[in-house]
Amino acid sequence: MADAKPAVTDQEKMKTLLENISAYIEQVHGGWVERKRKTRRGLQQDLGGFVGDITYTGPISEFMPLLMLGQYVHAGKNAVFGGGWYEIIRRNSDR
């Protein structure tokens, strides 16, 4: 990660980049999977989420430091149940 650029810190710039990120989706393989669990109180908790592969292309380099960190820390909702786990695989043309 020595060659990584600084993460986006300007909130307005981040918002603009995120609003346009769908324009950089090249392929999607997979879909939404519903999972449920029962809590200690007997309540049902939804743990559904996307399972599959997404290929992005284009100017997403400003997100890479955050994405790289996220694949190791798994922060977010339901992380202890496996939510938010992902792996970044760079294509040869991206290196």
Side-chain angles (χ1 to χ4, degrees):
M1 223 163 91
D3 62 341
K5 296 178 183 176
V8 177
T9 55
D10 179 359
Q11 288 183 359
E12 286 302 313
K13 185 176 182 182
M14 173 79 83
K15 182 180 175 186
T16 302
L17 288 169
L18 288 172
E19 286 172 348
N20 297 314
I21 196 72
S22 63
Y24 305 115
I25 296 175
E26 185 176 301
Q27 289 182 325
V28 177
H29 297 284
W32 193 266
V33 176
E34 290 294 334
R35 298 277 191 252
K36 299 182 186 300
R37 72 176 278 278
K38 289 216 176 190
T39 66
R40 292 180 187 165
R41 292 188 216 164
L43 301 173
Q44 193 163 299
Q45 182 179 15
D46 293 327
L47 298 175
F50 179 83
V51 176
D53 301 314
I54 299 176
T55 303
Y56 289 96
T57 184
I60 63 167
S61 61
E62 293 191 60
F63 293 105
M64 287 309 294
L66 294 173
L67 292 170
M68 300 281 287
L69 177 64
Q71 72 180 343
Y72 298 108
V73 298
H74 311 291
K77 186 175 180 181
N78 297 321
V80 296
F81 299 109
W85 291 66
Y86 61 89
E87 178 182 12
I88 297 171
I89 301 172
R90 290 186 173 192
R91 295 184 297 193
N92 288 335
S93 61
D94 295 338
R95 293 179 185 198

